[in-house]
Amino acid sequence: MRTSWADLAANSAADNASYANNAGSGNNTSAPPSRPAYVPPHLRNRPPPTAESPAPPPARTGPASGSGTGTGTGTGRWSAPRNEYRSGTGGSGHTSGWGNKSAGWDRGRDREVNPFADQDDSEPAFTDQENTGINFDAYEDIPVETTGENVPPPVNTFAEIDLGEALNENIRRCKYVRPTPVQRNAIPISLAGRDLMACAQTGSGKTAAFCFPIISGIMRGQPMQRPPRGVRTVYPLALVLSPTRELSMQIHEEARKFSYQTGVRVVVAYGGAPINQQLRDLERGVDILVATPGRLVDLLERARVSLQMIRYLALDEADRMLDMGFEPQIRKIVEQMDMPPPGDRQTMLFSATFPREIQRLAADFLSNYIFLAVGRVGSSTDLIDQRVEYVQESDKRSHLMDLLHAQRENGVQGKQALTLVFVETKKGADALEHWLYLNGFPATTIHGDRTQQEREFALRSFKSGNTPILVATDVAARGLDIPHVAHVVNFDLPNDIDDYVHRIGRTGRAGKKGLATAFFNDNNANLARSLADLMQEANQEVPAWLSRYAARSSFGGGRNRRSGGGDRFGGRDFRREGSFSRGGGSDYHSAGNSGGGYGASGGYAGGYGGPGVTSAWD
DNA sequence: AAAAAAC
């Protein structure tokens, strides 16, 4: 406990040095100077910023300015060989040590950058903690529900599964010792070739749960015949979609570790970043494409990517991907391009929440699928101490200040513990950040009106502890793994209880404890009931005033549009619900729901009236 | 009503 956060705080100061050391990789002393500007994966194939040339322009389209050392067979199809693509190629090759940070491959003799390089010596602040220190005791007695035909049995160890030598080695490098519950269950299912709809909390190893079978399957498959030269279209074998750019980046980084030296190539594509680097990455070969929908559609329309060869489709945060804003785009990608239909591909949907209506939509993408629900670490949100305080709009800022002061006193070694503050709007995020800044709090913000560079810098700065307060919109609500978030503040509560679930899930990760504070007032009346039920289910103390609100709002108002009860924390397979029990909540206790307590909240779901009523609310 | 996601 003390070790990681204290060390993190201490080390974040030394971060510059470690970054330079890593980059130098023992072969140069002219590593980038002090400033360790974060270099996101898509920008990493660039020369280091130096004192003389502060930063490269964001887009570098033409052939690299770098000289062409090396033999470069097969590399420079469209331009001269680029030495920045082959970090330290050919023994003597030292481009800049910075090249070691680059994400990517050399074709030809496949010189792959080691994604574990960071963790070897000196960068504990940004690597280890997401893979280690998982409190496995918190995973005992996790309720698991699987429904569907011929469900493959779970495994208890990685050794029981034949994932292949190279992948096993990466699992070891990641310091994964035992599979988490979602991995124990999901991996055998997908190795058996089955489609899957899985409800499991992020931070419990979900990414690995879909990456391992994909990588293993690609390794086993026959090597794909490369399209003829000059044809710029690439044919990934697996597609992983996620709702935000930062989440796609995170998945990509993880997938790169899992696929290291397996011959399986992972490329990420998302908006807000220059497309040219992504195009080059694609041209160098892609087996697994991780993408956000907009950029992928762009690539498909440019015919730079074809989905014809897709064997695996994974949707992360799948309920989000299928909700109103995203559904048309996802349908276009999955149903109206050239992707093989369900049955001819393997489809895996993952999320922590899976509202019934969304399950219904998702079923279109699936074939004879298995529904898997894995209760949250600690079998609910036990690990997150949830508090709700009644705060008028006009008092929110001073109230937040009180919380932050308290948090500051809890800080370690002069560093505040990380606090993630969610607000409803982008403008509100900027305004709050500015106000915090004026009041001497080190805050930054992430939202969709910021440039991608700003977003990535903000996230990096927060993770490192340099800016221990992050004001965020829902862009940061889902999936992001930010170790050491001690406190999530719902400065503005969301309108949807599922969003609340995802937001507070940014803390209390990997079996560690977390704190979540929500500011509630009359504007949130419609959330009262679902919030009170949720908290009760998670063994939290529900303030009496909130219960009164909940009781009031239960007359007609207050049910959540999207979400029936029991969809949280694993939820339940909508196929199990008979036509009369659509109304939700009525048959939670039926046989087969092994969830001791989870998913069993009748509660606010009662009266949720199925499609008819849903449309009345919409 | 807002947020996210392409240029």
Side-chain angles (χ1 to χ4, degrees):
Chain A
M1 192 49 65
R2 194 201 68 81
T3 27
S4 53
W5 174 226
D7 290 351
L8 168 62
N11 281 332
S12 66
D15 178 36
N16 297 1
S18 23
Y19 223 90
N21 286 343
N22 274 342
S25 204
N27 73 354
N28 92 49
T29 48
S30 60
S34 50
R35 193 71 193 143
Y38 170 55
V39 180
H42 68 287
L43 297 176
R44 281 179 192 170
N45 290 332
R46 288 156 199 239
T50 64
E52 301 81 39
S53 57
R60 199 177 58 180
T61 52
S65 49
S67 67
T69 60
T71 54
T73 54
T75 299
R77 243 192 300 167
W78 306 103
S79 60
R82 307 177 188 116
N83 66 359
E84 70 270 33
Y85 284 163
R86 53 178 63 78
S87 48
T89 289
S92 71
H94 43 263
T95 55
S96 63
W98 195 259
N100 292 335
K101 301 295 286 184
S102 76
W105 276 84
D106 278 320
R107 290 289 285 286
R109 275 304 91 210
D110 283 355
R111 201 76 176 195
E112 185 182 10
V113 172
N114 181 357
F116 298 97
D118 294 358
Q119 82 186 26
D120 288 340
D121 19 326
S122 45
E123 223 185 348
F126 300 118
T127 50
D128 263 12
Q129 76 282 351
E130 65 251 37
N131 298 326
T132 60
I134 290 183
N135 174 11
F136 273 91
D137 292 341
Y139 287 93
E140 297 305 323
D141 299 323
I142 295 277
V144 173
E145 178 187 338
T146 45
T147 48
E149 297 169 13
N150 299 319
V151 179
V155 293
N156 286 310
T157 63
F158 287 121
E160 289 173 57
I161 334 165
D162 183 20
L163 290 167
E165 200 38 56
L167 191 45
N168 282 336
E169 179 68 9
N170 291 331
I171 292 171
R172 190 194 59 73
R173 289 183 177 114
C174 286
K175 302 186 173 70
Y176 291 176
V177 179
R178 292 160 56 190
T180 64
V182 63
Q183 292 163 2
R184 285 205 294 261
N185 288 272
I187 293 174
I189 291 170
S190 42
L191 283 179
R194 299 293 301 278
D195 280 4
L196 174 65
M197 182 186 292
C199 295
Q201 188 71 24
T202 41
S204 59
K206 194 164 49 74
T207 310
F210 62 77
C211 282
F212 289 176
I214 291 175
I215 293 165
S216 164
I218 290 176
M219 289 173 71
R220 279 158 208 274
Q222 321 104 333
M224 209 195 55
Q225 66 282 25
R226 291 280 154 217
R229 291 192 167 225
V231 174
R232 287 150 70 109
T233 309
V234 295
Y235 297 81
L237 303 174
L239 176 63
V240 179
L241 291 173
S242 97
T244 66
R245 298 164 181 173
E246 287 77 13
L247 184 52
S248 281
M249 293 173 54
Q250 178 182 300
I251 294 167
H252 173 244
E253 280 164 22
E254 279 200 77
R256 263 178 61 225
K257 292 180 183 168
F258 302 151
S259 60
Y260 180 53
Q261 290 184 344
T262 61
V264 175
R265 288 156 302 187
V266 189
V267 173
V268 67
Y270 53 84
I275 200 170
N276 290 302
Q277 179 61 50
Q278 293 171 8
L279 289 173
R280 284 197 294 267
D281 289 344
L282 289 167
E283 281 173 13
R284 282 153 62 221
V286 53
D287 299 301
I288 302 174
L289 177 57
V290 182
T292 47
R295 178 54 60 88
L296 176 61
V297 167
D298 189 3
L299 293 167
L300 291 168
E301 285 172 350
R302 296 180 189 216
R304 298 301 294 263
V305 171
S306 162
L307 303 178
Q308 220 175 308
M309 305 295 286
I310 290 292
R311 301 212 304 255
Y312 305 92
L313 169 65
L315 301 193
D316 202 2
E317 308 298 340
D319 59 332
R320 178 79 183 81
M321 303 299 280
L322 290 169
D323 81 5
M324 281 198 323
F326 267 124
E327 192 207 340
Q329 239 177 339
I330 302 301
R331 271 197 197 279
K332 175 172 183 168
I333 292 167
V334 176
E335 294 177 333
Q336 288 152 40
M337 305 305 288
D338 49 357
M339 195 186 305
D344 291 353
R345 61 162 198 260
Q346 198 177 338
T347 306
M348 294 175 273
L349 311 183
F350 282 79
S351 182
T353 53
F354 241 122
R356 184 182 302 104
E357 313 88 279
I358 303 288
Q359 289 190 38
R360 221 172 273 135
L361 293 176
D364 291 351
F365 296 166
L366 296 161
S367 166
N368 187 27
Y369 65 96
I370 289 167
F371 179 90
L372 166 67
V374 179
R376 215 202 126 98
V377 174
S379 103
S380 185
T381 41
D382 289 357
L383 291 163
I384 303 175
D385 182 7
Q386 296 180 56
R387 299 176 190 174
V388 187
E389 293 168 9
Y390 195 92
V391 185
Q392 297 290 3
E393 289 298 327
S394 53
D395 297 332
K396 280 183 173 180
R397 286 181 172 182
S398 62
H399 210 83
L400 176 64
M401 200 181 321
D402 293 344
L403 293 179
L404 292 174
H405 277 302
Q407 199 69 45
R408 182 179 272 172
E409 282 153 22
N410 292 338
V412 182
Q413 299 192 0
K415 286 262 185 177
Q416 268 181 272
L418 302 191
T419 301
L420 179 51
V421 182
F422 281 104
V423 296
E424 199 55 21
T425 67
K426 294 176 282 196
K427 285 181 81 163
D430 281 336
L432 184 56
E433 184 225 17
H434 186 237
W435 182 84
L436 287 168
Y437 171 79
L438 291 180
N439 284 275
F441 288 98
T444 184
T445 181
I446 184 168
H447 60 69
D449 274 354
R450 304 202 80 192
T451 67
Q452 192 54 28
Q453 271 194 332
E454 289 170 329
R455 286 165 57 157
E456 288 168 21
F457 187 85
L459 191 55
R460 175 78 172 175
S461 177
F462 181 59
K463 280 187 174 183
S464 72
N466 288 334
T467 315
I469 302 166
L470 180 65
V471 182
T473 61
D474 271 329
V475 70
R478 283 172 174 265
L480 295 186
D481 195 44
I482 310 170
H484 308 297
V485 173
H487 197 174
V488 169
V489 178
N490 273 291
F491 188 89
D492 302 317
L493 273 164
N495 293 314
D496 188 319
I497 194 64
D498 287 345
D499 291 336
Y500 174 84
V501 169
H502 286 274
R503 286 179 177 187
I504 68 171
R506 295 319 98 208
T507 187
R509 296 177 71 77
K512 298 194 175 72
K513 286 184 182 162
L515 172 64
T517 305
F519 296 171
F520 184 102
N521 61 39
D522 287 4
N523 297 333
N524 312 114
N526 59 358
L527 195 71
R529 176 129 193 208
S530 46
L531 182 59
D533 287 346
L534 176 88
M535 289 177 67
Q536 185 159 37
E537 186 184 304
N539 301 316
Q540 302 292 311
E541 191 178 330
V542 181
W545 59 262
L546 182 61
S547 300
R548 285 197 295 274
Y549 255 100
R552 236 178 296 159
S553 61
S554 63
F555 295 108
R559 279 171 303 278
N560 192 278
R561 256 204 305 263
R562 285 179 48 223
S563 164
D567 291 331
R568 308 179 303 272
F569 306 134
R572 119 174 231 103
D573 188 349
F574 89 103
R575 294 174 300 183
R576 290 176 64 88
E577 288 161 20
S579 46
F580 9 70
S581 62
R582 268 246 182 82
S586 53
D587 80 334
Y588 285 128
H589 299 284
S590 65
N593 185 352
S594 59
Y598 92 97
S601 79
Y604 68 91
Y608 178 80
V613 170
T614 305
S615 58
W617 281 94
D618 296 333

